[in-house]
Amino acid sequence: GNYCPENCRWATLGEQMNNMTKNRMISYRGETMSMSMWAYRFGISYGAMNHRIQRGWSMERIEATPERKQKNGTSSISKGLY
């Protein structure tokens, strides 16, 4: 139908970004979410998640392995050192 107040809702930027067709969707333990949402759930950066998937890590290993941090508290993934 047409756009009207009854069939529209406000979406946050995060919700809008997760609703893009270019997102990589991953199914794990009966749930399907974008890679960035899995990274958020696992408490790691998107860069770490992407790096681990590219290296062939299983979702179980990704979930079980905390992200390494540098002495200054930043992710080593963002610096390309992981």
Side-chain angles (χ1 to χ4, degrees), residues 10-29:
W10 187 261
T12 66
L13 180 58
E15 290 171 322
Q16 291 178 37
M17 296 303 290
N18 271 312
N19 198 27
M20 297 174 66
T21 56
K22 70 178 186 175
N23 283 337
R24 180 168 180 181
M25 302 304 285
I26 299 171
S27 296
Y28 175 60
R29 295 190 178 179

Side-chain angles (χ1 to χ4, degrees), residues 18-77:
N18 271 312
N19 198 27
M20 297 174 66
T21 56
K22 70 178 186 175
N23 283 337
R24 180 168 180 181
M25 302 304 285
I26 299 171
S27 296
Y28 175 60
R29 295 190 178 179
E31 268 188 278
T32 302
M33 296 191 294
S34 68
M35 189 164 56
S36 62
M37 290 303 296
W38 281 116
Y40 179 78
R41 176 158 311 163
F42 295 159
I44 62 175
S45 68
Y46 176 85
M49 182 81 179
N50 188 46
H51 184 82
R52 292 171 180 189
I53 287 175
Q54 287 179 349
R55 296 253 184 292
W57 287 30
S58 68
M59 287 295 285
E60 290 81 9
R61 183 177 176 197
I62 293 170
E63 180 180 22
T65 307
E67 185 173 4
R68 294 191 312 185
K69 302 287 180 182
Q70 293 182 337
K71 289 182 183 179
N72 65 5
T74 62
S75 165
S76 57
I77 297 295

